[in-house]
Every structure is written in structure tokens, then in C-alpha cells.
Amino acid sequence: MAARAAYYLSTPIYYVNDSPHIGHAYTSLACDVLARFMRLDGRDVLFLTGTDEHGQKVAKSAVAAGMEPQEFVDQVSERFRALGEVMGYSNDDFIRTTEARHTRSCQELWRRISDNGHIYLGKYAGWYSVREEAFYAESDVVTGPDGDKVTASSGSPVEWVEEPSYFFRLSAWQEALLEFYEKNPEAVAPESRRNEVISFVAGGLNDLSVSRASLKWGIPVPGDPDHTMYVWLDALTNYISGTGFPDTECDLYQTYWPADLHMVGKDILRFHTVYWPAFLMAAGVEPPTRVFAHGWWTIEGEKMSKSLGNAIDPHHIVARYGLDAVRYFLLRALPFGSDGDFSHRAIVGRMNDDLANDYGNLAQRVLTMVNRNCGAAVPEPGPFETSDRTLLDEAESLPGKVRADLSRQAFHQALIHIWEVVGHANRYVDEQAPWVLRKEDPARMATVLYVVAETLRHLAVLTLSFMPASSGRMLDQLGVAQEARTLAALGPEGRLAPGTALPKPEPIFPRFVEDSPVS
RNA sequence: GGCGGGGUAGCUCAGUCGGUAGAGCAGUGGAAUCAUAAUCCAUGGGUCGGGGGUUCGAGUCCCUCCCCCGCUACCA
């Protein structure tokens, strides 16, 4: 059993200036599968997502759109909520950095850091990229084709900024951070990212500018309203705002903080594994247990980019392939943490081979026989033979494997383990040939069909978090009651009750048939 | 430049403490016919990036070179 019943996980809060694309969908999807699985496993889950709505870039976009900033962010934040509905996310809360609860949380975190002596007023002078919300050293800036200064790495225009600024004494936290990584080997994943972070911190840290005097669209610095909090301090704090901070005595905070998992894309690894733990330690707050940085998607082999205009809109692929197929593909296509390629050919392969042929057809072939030959009810099994026991044992050992896989965010491995049983079950059906037994030994046929149905029950419950709708339909077809759809109900105690009436089965996972060529 | 990760069957990748190269997909042949023309079985002569070394024996250890990716540094 889990050492702790509560489980708190978060997506990053998404920057409202971006249009939702497959990358956002992917991060949240990974969290959603974990959240659903943990709930099935009896955990008390808090799954938080939301939007990041402050910053100079947002303010400029609002102006460009002819709107007040708040009006603008209200509108664009809604797109991320809509994405959640399309993708079927089960988040418990949706936080926005423009909410009062967040402002209060941010300002209190600042106060604590400041009271502990880790913030000082200095002067910032340097190149600043509005587009990237980031500062650049002189060495990273080059003169662009138009004579403007741009960053060497991305070509974003930069402007010279010189103003008073509050600084966070990040440089003082090097040793504490290294010790934190050392004592908490699970705190940064995957392993390769952990190495990167350690090597970055070991290379020395500079103090961090955490306020902007020229920026108005943000949270005012406590005690100095001329300054606005730097966007990353603002954004990261959402994770504790969502647990009721600064009311550290409230149930929410007591139950869920520190977070069990912050899921992030690899681009924001450093903010989450260096700055964020340092901010929290400086404020006397415990840092999160684990940060997992996943990889990027390419599209048909091409890097996703604005200039190529090939960013995938989740709404389109869900409309084309179906939600559950998309959910399955995104988590099965590659080892979680690696980069992957989204291609039409690949997703169709997974849909037809794994879902329709292997899994869906297994259910269909067995349930059809049950429907026609067992009075459309769960058959009454006789004594189990070795082959029956072998399959059932394997199905019953699956929850443990999947739980272990998902505890380290190995989604693909969990699915591989589940599909090993799908394959086993198909072979079992062929070997037992219930269509022959139907004439020669109906009692044995009933046992065989029962064993497969029971195996399907395990498979469907375990795929429920990945493909909620399809797996739910399969459980409907197996006559499994809603309250029995939990990991606790798996195993011998929760076996299907013989005699339970079953509906006429319908195919669950459709094959993807290519459109006929247009002449 | 430094650190780290990679270069294994047509494609995507596994390969634990060194012991005669594996999986899935695709291809080929066969069986079966309950099922979404789905399933099952059989089938891989691959210089394991190049070269050298250690060893009775090396994708698996050591050296070196080439290429790819990530992080990071530097640019007088």
C-alpha cells in the first residue's frame, strides 16, 4: 500500500499568450492519467492546472487586441479550460494567477523570503527580451540584420533595460540545492535531467532579478508598489496557492503540500528544479517531492514551430482519431521523458494494431460468444485448469506492475505490461478454441469464456485511466458496476458474478480506415 | 571547449554481473474461422558507427576517431 493516501500533482500553468497545442495537451494528459489511476487506487488526489496570466508580453497583447489586460486574460484563459474539456482532464482545480488567492499567496511568500534576508534591492542593467521574458548577457546578444540587437540563440529582439530591481540571493543556495538533489534522488526525473540540473548548479549560481519596476501587469511587491514581481516567482507560486498557502494550517495545505509531482516540459526544467526549491527553502517551505521533465513532439518528423505553422491543434486530432486513441497514442508511442514524433501513420498503426485488432477484437470475439452461447450472461465456470490459472494469475499480477510503472511515470511501460496480457489472452482463446468446445464440451467452453471475461475485467479497469470512455464501455459490456471499477475490486474477491445479464456487445475501438482517394 | 546521452534488423527500439544477437511493426509462408478481413503459428546471412586493445570469449570493459542530440562555457 501507499505510504501516504494523499497525492498532489500539477501541470505547469499555461501562458495565456500561447495557443493551446499538442504540447500543452500532452503535459496535462500525463497528469490526468496519473490522477485517474491514483484515484482508482484509493488515493486522495489533488490535480491542479491553470493559467499564467501576468507579464509584459500579455500586457502588450492586450493592448494589441484593444482590451484591458484582465478582459484579455479572461478570454484567453478560457481556451485552456476548453482544451481540458476536449481532452477529458479530471483536474480538481483550475488556478489563475490573476485570482486574489494567488496574489495573497505570492505576496506572503515574498514576505517570508524577504524577512529571512534573501531578497535585496539592487540595480538591474542588461538586455531583456520581451518575447522570452528573459534577460540576456552581453555575450548572448548580437546585432541583427536590421541593425537591431537580438539574441544569438533565437534571434528575439532585446532591449536595454536599466532599473532598480529586487534580487533573490540564489547564489547563496548552491550548497543547499546540491544537498537537496543528493538526499532526494527522485526529486528530478528523468535521470539525465537530474544530471543536467546538478551540473548547472555545481557550475555556480547568480542572484536572480525577481522584480521589475517598469512592469505594471503583475503582482505588486509587498511594501514597494513601484515594483512588480518577476513573472517566474509569480508563476511558480501557483503550486502552493492551490493548496491554500499562506494558510498553512488549513486542511488543503496540510493534506497535500509538499506536492508529489510537478509535471513539466523540458524547457522549464530549471525554473522548477533550481529556482523553485530555492525560493521555497528560503521561505522555510518544504520543496516538492518530484519534478518530471518530459520531452517534445515533432510533427511528421518536423520540429513544431510557429513559422512552419505545423503546431497540432488537439481539437483537430481528437476530431479525427477520437479522444481515447489520441490519449493512448501519446503515452504509448515513446518512453515517457524522450522526444517523440507525431505522425498519421504511427497513430493509425497504434489504433488498428493495438486497440482495434488486439484489444478491441479480443473483447468482441469473446463477448459475442458469451452473448450467443451463454444466454447473454456471465457464464458459470467449472474447475480451473493450469492454462486458466496461468492467464488469471498474469491478469491479477498486472495491477502491481502498472502501479510500479506509473509511480515512476513510465506510462509506455505500463501499457506494454497491459498489452502482454492482451496478447496472452488472444493466444489462450486460440488454444482453447471455445468455438470447438461449444459442440464437444459446453461446460468447458463456459469456463474458458469466463476466464477471458475475467481477464478483460482486469484489462478494462487498468486501461480506465488511459482511455476512460472506451474502457468504461468495456466494463459496461462486462456488467461491472460503477462502484466495482477500482483496483481494490481486482483479484479473486471481485470476480464477475455468473449469471449477470450482459448487453449485446458492440465494437469498442474502431479501425481507422483511410479516406478513399479523391478523384 | 567542458559535461552528459546516443549511434543494434526496412522502421521504432530492448539488450541485466562480458559467454553462440532480441521485441514490436512491415514482409513472406502456413493454420484456424469465435471475432472489428480481426486471431494464432513459423520465418531475421543485421560488418551491433569506424579502428585498435584487454580476454579463452565483447553491443556488453579500455583507448582512439567519426556523426547526432541535450546541458553548459567561451569568443580574443
Side-chain angles (χ1 to χ4, degrees):
Chain A
M1 270 310 287
R4 175 182 146 189
Y7 190 85
Y8 172 31
L9 81 171
S10 67
T11 76
I13 46 174
Y14 301 114
Y15 200 46
V16 291
N17 232 37
D18 297 331
S19 297
H21 57 65
I22 194 171
H24 302 107
Y26 183 54
T27 314
S28 294
L29 170 62
C31 288
D32 183 61
V33 170
L34 288 176
R36 287 173 184 271
F37 182 83
M38 295 299 173
R39 291 187 198 108
L40 286 182
D41 204 13
R43 305 280 298 260
D44 171 14
V45 173
L46 175 61
F47 169 20
L48 180 70
T49 187
T51 43
D52 178 11
E53 310 184 0
H54 288 138
Q56 200 169 343
K57 193 155 56 166
V58 173
K60 285 193 175 181
S61 294
V63 170
M67 289 188 232
E68 288 302 310
Q70 187 64 51
E71 187 188 356
F72 177 75
V73 297
D74 285 348
Q75 182 179 309
V76 289
S77 173
E78 194 52 38
R79 295 189 302 189
F80 284 94
R81 274 185 194 274
L83 173 68
E85 283 170 28
V86 169
M87 293 297 297
Y89 301 143
S90 62
N91 53 290
D92 301 291
D93 198 353
F94 187 101
I95 193 166
R96 300 178 53 188
T97 55
T98 49
E99 291 177 64
R101 60 170 167 165
H102 178 68
T103 300
R104 176 166 159 262
S105 165
C106 260
Q107 292 187 323
E108 179 57 24
L109 184 70
W110 177 290
R111 262 185 225 106
R112 293 191 188 188
I113 296 172
S114 185
D115 288 352
N116 289 339
H118 302 296
I119 288 179
Y120 63 91
L121 184 61
K123 192 176 99 172
Y124 183 81
W127 295 102
Y128 182 73
S129 162
V130 174
R131 185 190 297 171
E132 296 172 18
E133 304 275 11
F135 296 102
Y136 284 88
E138 185 67 45
S139 57
D140 292 324
V141 173
V142 298
T143 302
D146 305 327
D148 299 335
K149 292 290 188 179
V150 299
T151 67
S153 50
S154 60
S156 304
V158 292
E159 43 193 64
W160 183 256
V161 173
E162 195 165 332
E163 60 183 34
S165 168
Y166 286 96
F167 283 82
F168 172 69
R169 273 185 220 287
L170 182 62
S171 58
W173 289 91
Q174 179 177 4
E175 286 312 313
L177 284 167
L178 291 173
E179 189 182 329
F180 172 69
Y181 307 136
E182 178 67 28
K183 286 186 176 169
N184 301 280
E186 306 293 317
V188 184
E191 186 79 20
S192 56
R193 298 297 169 195
R194 176 171 186 268
N195 294 338
E196 281 181 16
V197 169
I198 290 175
S199 119
F200 173 74
V201 173
L205 297 169
N206 296 320
D207 288 349
L208 201 62
S209 171
V210 289
S211 77
R212 316 291 354 263
S214 52
L215 172 65
K216 293 304 164 203
W217 183 238
I219 296 176
V221 167
D224 191 345
D226 290 343
H227 288 261
T228 299
M229 290 169 62
Y230 171 57
V231 289
W232 272 104
L233 178 53
D234 173 347
L236 289 163
T237 302
N238 93 84
Y239 300 128
I240 52 174
S241 307
T243 63
F245 184 87
D247 181 6
T248 55
E249 296 308 311
C250 72
D251 284 350
L252 206 56
Y253 187 88
Q254 288 286 322
T255 304
Y256 296 113
W257 193 262
D260 293 272
L261 179 69
H262 291 325
M263 185 70 77
V264 301
K266 63 183 183 181
D267 55 323
I268 52 176
L269 175 69
R270 187 187 303 168
F271 301 106
H272 285 80
T273 57
V274 180
Y275 303 165
W276 181 227
F279 292 155
L280 290 171
M281 289 191 279
V285 176
E286 204 175 336
T289 305
R290 183 171 170 90
V291 174
F292 193 109
H294 69 243
W296 283 145
W297 285 93
T298 53
I299 309 301
E300 302 288 348
E302 300 272 6
K303 194 173 174 182
M304 198 163 63
S305 75
K306 282 181 183 165
S307 54
L308 281 174
N310 64 344
I312 285 195
D313 182 342
H315 298 79
H316 293 163
I317 53 173
V318 166
R320 184 171 193 190
Y321 304 107
L323 175 58
D324 281 351
V326 169
R327 290 175 60 111
Y328 174 80
F329 174 76
L330 290 176
L331 293 175
R332 176 62 184 81
L334 54 122
F336 194 69
S338 305
D339 290 346
D341 184 52
F342 189 101
S343 72
H344 173 70
R345 188 180 158 198
I347 189 172
V348 169
R350 290 295 177 189
M351 278 182 79
N352 291 352
D353 296 330
D354 297 1
L355 297 180
N357 296 354
D358 291 344
Y359 189 27
N361 186 56
L362 171 68
Q364 185 66 13
R365 68 195 300 210
V366 167
L367 292 173
T368 298
M369 276 187 275
V370 168
N371 188 262
R372 289 183 188 158
N373 307 308
C374 305
V378 174
E380 178 79 50
F384 291 141
E385 300 179 357
T386 302
S387 56
D388 309 334
R389 278 250 50 96
T390 305
L391 178 57
L392 287 173
D393 285 349
E394 203 181 323
E396 288 164 7
S397 73
L398 259 187
K401 291 181 186 174
V402 172
R403 182 185 290 120
D405 292 333
L406 293 186
S407 73
R408 56 190 180 89
Q409 294 79 45
F411 299 96
H412 68 296
Q413 193 55 250
L415 290 169
I416 287 170
H417 279 136
I418 293 169
W419 254 257
E420 283 173 356
V421 177
V422 172
H424 187 161
N426 268 320
R427 286 191 292 280
Y428 170 87
V429 172
D430 274 51
E431 286 159 12
Q432 299 299 322
W435 50 91
V436 174
L437 295 170
R438 181 166 64 98
K439 299 166 193 159
E440 300 175 355
D441 189 350
R444 176 62 193 155
M445 176 197 72
T447 303
V448 167
L449 294 179
Y450 183 86
V451 167
V452 187
E454 179 62 8
T455 300
L456 281 170
R457 180 173 75 92
H458 283 72
L459 293 170
V461 168
L462 290 168
T463 53
L464 207 45
S465 47
F466 291 90
M467 301 179 285
S470 307
S471 305
R473 286 180 62 203
M474 193 175 292
L475 289 166
D476 291 344
Q477 296 189 6
L478 288 164
V480 176
Q482 287 293 335
E483 61 274 16
R485 301 177 181 188
T486 68
L487 292 201
L490 296 182
E493 290 74 22
R495 288 224 170 108
L496 293 167
T500 305
L502 299 180
K504 185 171 187 294
E506 297 290 340
I508 292 170
F509 296 104
R511 290 180 60 77
F512 186 93
V513 180
E514 299 292 346
D515 298 336
S516 40
V518 181
S519 52

